[in-house]
Amino acid sequence: MVQAVLKATSSLDSHRHARMEVLKEKVEEEEAAEREEAAERAERGEKTKRPMEVRREETTMTQEMLRDLERKLSEIEVSVPEKLLAFTKDTIDTSKLPLSYQSNTLKEEHLLQVADNFSRQYSHLCPDRVPLFLHPLNECEVPKFVSTTIRPTLMPYPELYNWDTCAQFISDFLSMVPLPDPLKPPLYLYSSTTVLKYQKGNCFDFSTLLCSMLIGAGYDAYCVNGYGSQDLCHMDLTREVCPLTMKPKESVKEEEKAPPKKYAIKPPRDLTSRFEQEQEMKRQEAIKAEEENRRKQEEARLLEQENAKTDPLHGLRVHSWVLVLSGKREVPESFFIDPFTARSYSTQDDHFLGIESLWNHKNYWVNMQDCWNCCKDLVFDLGDPVRWEYLLLGTDKPFLSLTEEEDEGMNDDDDVENLGKEDEDKSFDMPPSWVEQIEISPEAFETRCPNGKKVIQYKRAKLEKWAPYLNNNGLVCRLTTYEDLELHSYKSMQPEMDRVMEFYETARVDGLIKREETPKTMTEHYQGRPDFLSYRHVNFGPRMKKLALNSAESNPRPMVKITERFFRNPAKPADEDVAERVFLIAEERIQLRYHCRSDHITANKREFLRRTEVDSKGNKIIMTPDMCISFEVEPMEHTKKLLYQYEAMMKLKNEEKLSRHQAWESELEVLEILKLREEEEEAHTLTISIYDTKRNEKSKEYREAMERVLHEEHLRQVEAQLDYLAPFLAQLPPGEKLTRWQAVRLKDECLNDFKQRLIDKANLIQARFEKETQELQKKQQWYQENQVTLTPEDEDLYLSYCSQAMFRIRILEQRLSRHKELAPLKYLALEEKLYKDPRLVELLKVFV
């Protein structure tokens, strides 16, 4: 500590000698300035008495006065101490960071020395262990102890009071940045304020921020430096099931059977076959067993594929997470929190492979236990010095958990007193955090995700989150589930693309419940129709090129094949009830398959060759036996007649036209639905509360209009109160009309007075600067005379005074520089107002 003080003293001595030379130069400059000012006053007095006849002379005088003003202001110079320039560094926007970010206090320097000594002893005793993560650099490239980077803060939002919602907010608010070297801790550990400002950070930044908020909320939380799995370090949740897809377990309540009544009627005997019931149960169990076996085989295959992709750095990847110990906030059992995903894990979880050290805002502990079995065998009793080696010996460290027998042997009062004296001698309190108060604005808390959006990939699912009011349709969360691990999806509002539409059967007259569409096919499923239609599948061919509008309405896709299936119609015999019919439009054929009778093993089939009614010469084509090919289980005479076949074929032709028309109407309906969906997407108007003044446009415009009216009224009142000609008009006889020469004299006197006021203000700033410089010099001289007898508290007060004095000197230098820039502009603005003043405008027209 004394060495640090001597270094500061030597730097201040050099500043003091430089200050003496500056003061000598100031005295000479003051004398020269006074002589020039006296000569200027005399010259200005002659010019006011000299008559001005033309505008050219007026302009010349104005330019001379401006040059004189600029020259006098430029003569006032100040020198900035060199130590001020050392506070700013070319790093991540460090110009506005406080002093605690850019330097260390004496107590922090002492703590760094203690940490270095601890690290050397640790490396000597455990040469096979990796170096400890103790004091990385912050954003200003200043080494800071990790415990002082934690800033316990209780946020003003009730949602951030519990650990789960707090961790979820940090996971959503920040973007993950991987470590530069996956095998080593980072060289830099930024403050939580910087991490929140840029909304990104690595695992150590996440853990530090989460630990600060949890400790502020009353949890016993610690940052952990250890080793994690590849999925944990890369924030990879593609092997995890999305929590939103998990259905809660429903508790099945057994219905209490009412006691049988004495005179109740006995139920009829169950005459169903027990053998058939047992066979049905066996069949259902076999189906379930087969499905379970298939599922297990698929899981085994996927697990084998995942295991084939072994991580070559398994057990070596550095990761940081948060440990929450039991006890505070009614936490029943200790657990881990991964800050990337906000998920809680047991201390026995396989994702966590080892721990090197952990810390909170009060102390630092090194794990001395073996991690051969990951973290499963670790005991988190931080008061046990055998398992956890602590850095600082303080009264706030956890106590060792003892059994009753061990506790009985620790009742010696002398030992307790001696132990207390040793602790008092060796204890060293942790310095306060150098990080500023953690603050999250209401706008940032509501927006949460970076740029308002965040996407999380799960196993067979994707979760998307948006900030409120970011989407025009009000969408804030969307969960998409997939059937495969590759997450294949087809989403498009364009027609003739892959899509599935589901409908309510009771809301439609045609009984459509589902429509599946691809670029070449369209499949529809029906239920509850009077014609017993259950299925229609349409195959399309390539569209013909058309010179006109090439749209789905004006140029529909040609139909190649239509397949329809029907439910069983009990009003018809099975061998006459059509089960499936296929219209092969391109081949001009129609195929029929009938339902199978219960006492048959096969069904009737029939195929018609659909030809045109007339040939190329116009002759009518007659029905021939080769135009109908049939297979019947029990042939009947009437089905072999040509008249029956002809009537059936003509009926099928009409039904083909009807099916083609219905398929065309389905295509048009798809276009209308897609068009309606686009209009709905664009026509969303969200209702915004009138109390939300930032988003409610009407309320915002009204507030801005009221503020604008109040501001204009305030300006009018100020202008009415400030009359720059009032002091000079008071010198004239009351009620006397101004002459032209009096108006010129009033203008000149007003401008000269304003010029003198600007010069006096600059001199006042210079005088304050010199006063601060002299007081700093006296303080430095006092320090040189008494530095041997000063206490550490006096040294801290002296260094604090020097820092504040240099800050005030820098502010005075900036104010003087700004005054030099604005003084000529103010002078010209006043001159323009004088020429436009209604009391002088008519008299000064000749000079304009």
Side-chain angles (χ1 to χ4, degrees):
M1 182 173 62
V2 176
Q3 293 178 356
V5 173
L6 291 177
K7 291 181 180 178
T9 304
S10 60
S11 63
L12 291 174
D13 289 340
S14 61
H15 292 161
R16 183 186 61 180
H17 294 302
R19 186 73 62 191
M20 293 294 295
E21 296 178 359
V22 171
L23 290 176
K24 292 179 181 178
E25 295 178 358
K26 291 301 177 184
V27 173
E28 297 176 358
E29 291 177 358
E30 273 189 359
E31 295 175 354
E34 290 178 357
R35 291 194 297 269
E36 293 179 0
E37 188 175 357
E40 190 64 28
R41 289 175 181 172
E43 183 180 357
R44 187 170 58 250
E46 294 175 0
K47 287 184 179 180
T48 54
K49 297 177 182 178
R50 191 190 317 166
M52 296 175 291
E53 299 178 355
V54 293
R55 177 58 180 164
R56 184 179 301 174
E57 296 180 0
E58 178 68 19
T59 305
T60 304
M61 185 190 71
T62 302
Q63 293 177 352
E64 290 179 356
M65 295 182 71
L66 281 175
R67 286 195 296 268
D68 178 65
L69 175 61
E70 293 176 357
R71 180 172 55 82
K72 286 185 174 296
L73 293 176
S74 62
E75 292 175 355
I76 303 174
E77 299 289 344
V78 295
S79 60
V80 184
E82 297 180 359
K83 191 169 183 179
L84 278 178
L85 302 177
F87 288 162
T88 59
K89 292 185 178 294
D90 298 332
T91 54
I92 302 179
D93 192 16
T94 59
S95 58
K96 298 181 181 179
L97 294 179
L99 185 62
S100 61
Y101 286 59
Q102 305 176 18
S103 62
N104 286 323
T105 62
L106 296 178
K107 197 169 185 179
E108 287 178 324
E109 292 290 346
H110 187 192
L111 177 61
L112 294 179
Q113 295 177 4
V114 173
D116 290 336
N117 184 29
F118 181 82
S119 179
R120 287 192 296 269
Q121 297 180 16
Y122 173 79
S123 301
H124 176 71
L125 297 175
C126 306
D128 55 337
R129 298 279 293 270
V130 298
L132 295 176
F133 183 68
L134 292 172
H135 43 72
L137 303 178
N138 67 350
E139 51 265 47
C140 296
E141 299 185 359
V142 177
K144 295 288 186 177
F145 192 69
V146 290
S147 296
T148 60
T149 308
I150 297 177
R151 178 62 185 265
T153 305
L154 177 61
M155 306 307 297
Y157 307 104
E159 185 178 350
L160 303 182
Y161 187 64
N162 296 324
W163 71 265
D164 50 352
T165 53
C166 182
Q168 188 63 52
F169 170 79
I170 294 177
S171 176
D172 294 339
F173 191 78
L174 302 180
S175 297
M176 188 271 286
V177 177
L179 294 175
D181 188 351
L183 306 181
K184 296 180 181 178
L187 298 178
Y188 291 85
L189 182 61
Y190 294 157
S191 63
S192 297
T193 55
T194 301
V195 173
L196 288 173
K197 178 180 178 181
Y198 292 96
Q199 285 191 262
K200 61 181 180 180
N202 54 41
C203 55
F204 287 84
D205 298 324
F206 274 68
S207 300
T208 302
L209 176 58
L210 178 57
C211 189
S212 301
M213 296 173 66
L214 291 181
I215 294 176
Y219 287 95
D220 191 10
Y222 302 82
C223 289
V224 180
N225 172 28
Y227 304 94
S229 63
Q230 184 178 9
D231 295 344
L232 202 67
C233 298
H234 290 174
M235 195 181 173
D236 186 4
L237 295 175
T238 55
R239 302 184 186 182
E240 303 290 337
V241 179
C242 180
L244 299 180
T245 59
M246 298 180 181
K247 296 182 180 180
K249 296 182 179 179
E250 298 179 356
S251 57
V252 180
K253 296 182 179 180
E254 297 182 357
E255 297 181 358
E256 296 182 358
K257 296 182 179 180
K261 297 181 180 179
K262 183 177 181 181
Y263 300 102
I265 301 176
K266 295 183 178 181
R269 292 183 60 185
D270 186 9
L271 300 179
T272 57
S273 174
R274 294 183 180 179
F275 175 76
E276 291 181 354
Q277 292 180 357
E278 292 176 358
Q279 293 298 321
E280 181 65 20
M281 291 178 61
K282 290 180 180 180
R283 190 176 67 84
Q284 295 294 338
E285 291 177 358
I287 293 174
K288 291 182 180 179
E290 184 179 359
E291 293 179 354
E292 184 69 18
N293 188 24
R294 190 184 303 109
R295 186 183 63 82
K296 290 183 178 180
Q297 290 179 358
E298 181 67 17
E299 291 181 355
R301 184 182 64 82
L302 296 176
L303 183 60
E304 184 179 355
Q305 292 179 357
E306 294 177 357
N307 293 336
K309 302 176 182 178
T310 56
D311 183 16
L313 302 179
H314 182 74
L316 302 177
R317 295 183 182 274
V318 175
H319 190 59
S320 178
W321 62 92
V322 174
L323 166 66
V324 179
L325 294 182
S326 59
K328 294 185 177 180
R329 288 294 304 271
E330 300 179 357
V331 177
E333 186 178 0
S334 303
F335 61 94
F336 294 147
I337 303 177
D338 181 28
F340 281 165
T341 60
R343 286 192 162 194
S344 62
Y345 296 88
S346 168
T347 55
Q348 313 289 324
D349 197 273
D350 294 333
H351 284 91
F352 304 92
L353 308 178
I355 294 178
E356 289 287 347
S357 59
L358 55 86
W359 62 90
N360 62 0
H361 62 299
K362 295 182 178 180
N363 210 337
Y364 186 95
W365 292 268
V366 180
N367 178 30
M368 306 304 294
Q369 305 172 71
D370 196 353
C371 296
W372 68 272
N373 195 19
C374 300
C375 300
K376 298 179 180 179
D377 299 333
L378 296 186
V379 179
F380 294 97
D381 181 10
L382 302 183
D384 187 354
V386 178
R387 294 186 174 97
W388 298 93
E389 183 67 33
Y390 52 83
L391 175 67
L392 300 180
L393 179 61
T395 57
D396 55 351
K397 71 181 183 66
F399 295 100
L400 175 64
S401 300
L402 301 176
T403 60
E404 295 181 358
E405 296 178 358
E406 294 174 342
D407 196 9
E408 293 176 357
M410 296 291 292
N411 294 329
D412 194 349
D413 296 338
D414 297 336
D415 294 342
V416 173
E417 293 179 0
N418 295 334
L419 182 60
K421 293 180 180 179
E422 293 179 0
D423 289 351
E424 291 178 358
D425 297 338
K426 298 182 180 179
S427 62
F428 177 79
D429 294 335
M430 184 71 67
S433 177
W434 55 275
V435 182
E436 281 191 326
Q437 185 75 17
I438 300 175
E439 296 180 354
I440 301 175
S441 63
E443 294 81 7
F445 180 74
E446 183 180 12
T447 304
R448 293 211 171 191
C449 309
N451 300 324
K453 181 181 180 181
K454 193 159 191 176
V455 180
I456 305 175
Q457 296 285 354
Y458 290 98
K459 184 178 182 180
R460 294 191 179 94
K462 180 175 69 173
L463 180 63
E464 299 171 276
K465 298 180 181 180
W466 290 273
Y469 301 100
L470 181 65
N471 295 325
N472 296 330
N473 58 359
L475 182 63
V476 295
C477 183
R478 179 168 62 194
L479 176 64
T480 308
T481 57
Y482 302 88
E483 295 182 356
D484 52 8
L485 295 176
E486 288 75 15
L487 307 184
H488 292 156
S489 63
Y490 304 93
K491 297 180 181 179
S492 175
M493 296 299 290
Q494 298 297 324
E496 303 176 9
M497 298 295 292
D498 293 79
R499 66 174 51 84
V500 178
M501 296 182 180
E502 295 183 356
F503 304 89
Y504 293 100
E505 57 174 316
T506 57
R508 294 182 63 96
V509 180
D510 57 357
L512 179 64
I513 59 176
K514 187 177 182 181
R515 178 181 288 138
E516 301 175 3
E517 189 179 6
T518 66
K520 296 295 183 181
T521 62
M522 183 175 62
T523 306
E524 295 177 330
H525 301 267
Y526 298 90
Q527 189 172 357
R529 287 173 61 102
D531 58 356
F532 297 95
L533 178 64
S534 63
Y535 174 88
R536 178 185 288 131
H537 180 80
V538 184
N539 293 86
F540 299 97
R543 180 181 280 109
M544 301 296 294
K545 293 184 178 180
K546 198 171 183 180
L547 297 178
L549 296 174
N550 190 9
S551 63
E553 297 182 9
S554 60
N555 188 17
R557 295 177 290 178
M559 301 178 192
V560 178
K561 179 182 177 181
I562 300 178
T563 303
E564 295 178 339
R565 296 172 185 168
F566 299 86
F567 290 116
R568 178 74 174 88
N569 185 2
K572 293 182 180 181
D575 50 3
E576 295 181 5
D577 188 14
V578 178
E580 180 184 69
R581 67 186 179 192
V582 181
F583 299 102
L584 300 173
I585 301 174
E587 302 177 8
E588 295 186 347
R589 290 188 299 147
I590 302 175
Q591 297 176 351
L592 299 178
R593 180 176 61 83
Y594 296 87
H595 285 278
C596 183
R597 287 171 49 175
S598 59
D599 55 346
H600 291 175
I601 61 174
T602 184
N604 296 345
K605 296 180 181 179
R606 187 172 287 114
E607 180 177 355
F608 293 90
L609 301 178
R610 185 178 61 83
R611 299 177 181 175
T612 56
E613 297 181 358
V614 295
D615 57 11
S616 60
K617 297 182 180 182
N619 299 324
K620 189 175 182 180
I621 299 177
I622 302 175
M623 184 71 182
T624 58
D626 61 341
M627 295 176 62
C628 179
I629 303 174
S630 63
F631 168 78
E632 298 182 9
V633 179
E634 293 182 358
M636 291 180 288
E637 292 295 331
H638 71 281
T639 58
K640 297 181 181 180
K641 296 180 180 180
L642 292 177
L643 179 60
Y644 174 82
Q645 297 176 359
Y646 175 77
E647 292 177 352
M649 186 176 68
M650 296 305 295
K651 183 180 179 181
L652 289 173
K653 284 184 178 181
N654 296 331
E655 291 177 348
E656 178 184 347
K657 293 179 182 180
L658 180 60
S659 297
R660 294 175 64 178
H661 180 73
Q662 292 177 351
W664 176 73
E665 287 182 343
S666 297
E667 286 192 278
L668 295 181
E669 185 184 18
V670 170
L671 296 177
E672 293 178 359
I673 293 175
L674 295 179
K675 184 177 180 181
L676 181 62
R677 289 287 294 118
E678 291 180 356
E679 293 176 356
E680 290 176 351
E681 290 288 341
E682 297 175 357
H684 279 295
T685 55
L686 302 180
T687 303
I688 302 176
S689 173
I690 59 175
Y691 301 104
D692 192 350
T693 57
K694 293 185 178 180
R695 295 191 180 94
N696 195 306
E697 294 297 332
K698 293 183 179 179
S699 178
K700 184 178 180 180
E701 292 176 0
Y702 178 76
R703 187 184 72 256
E704 291 178 352
M706 293 296 297
E707 292 177 354
R708 185 166 53 253
V709 171
L710 293 176
H711 181 66
E712 293 175 356
E713 182 66 23
H714 176 71
L715 291 179
R716 284 194 295 268
Q717 293 178 0
V718 170
E719 291 180 358
Q721 295 175 359
L722 297 179
D723 187 3
Y724 34 83
L725 288 178
F728 305 98
L729 290 173
Q731 300 176 7
L732 299 177
E736 182 179 349
K737 187 177 181 180
L738 289 176
T739 63
R740 182 171 298 172
W741 300 108
Q742 287 176 337
V744 172
R745 185 166 61 84
L746 283 175
K747 176 182 72 65
D748 293 339
E749 289 179 356
C750 183
L751 289 175
N752 292 332
D753 182 74
F754 184 69
K755 173 185 172 183
Q756 187 60 37
R757 286 168 59 193
L758 293 176
I759 296 174
D760 293 341
K761 184 176 181 180
N763 290 328
L764 179 62
I765 297 175
Q766 180 192 9
R768 291 179 178 176
F769 176 85
E770 293 175 353
K771 180 180 178 182
E772 291 289 342
T773 305
Q774 292 175 2
E775 292 180 356
L776 179 61
Q777 180 184 1
K778 292 180 181 178
K779 196 68 175 180
Q780 291 173 347
Q781 185 177 0
W782 170 84
Y783 177 79
Q784 291 293 334
E785 295 174 355
N786 302 281
Q787 61 177 344
V788 180
T789 59
L790 290 179
T791 61
E793 289 77 9
D794 294 334
E795 292 178 355
D796 292 339
L797 293 175
Y798 168 71
L799 294 177
S800 176
Y801 172 82
C802 293
S803 176
Q804 295 176 2
M806 292 178 183
F807 176 77
R808 291 192 294 268
I809 292 172
R810 180 63 178 271
I811 293 299
L812 291 172
E813 186 267 341
Q814 293 178 355
R815 290 181 59 187
L816 182 58
S817 176
R818 181 172 176 81
H819 181 67
K820 289 181 182 180
E821 295 175 359
L822 297 180
L825 300 178
K826 293 180 180 179
Y827 184 89
L828 293 176
L830 178 60
E831 184 182 23
E832 183 178 359
K833 285 184 178 180
L834 291 175
Y835 276 108
K836 294 181 179 180
D837 191 280
R839 294 166 292 184
L840 303 179
V841 61
E842 296 294 336
L843 300 174
L844 297 178
K845 275 185 178 180
V846 68
F847 302 105
V848 179

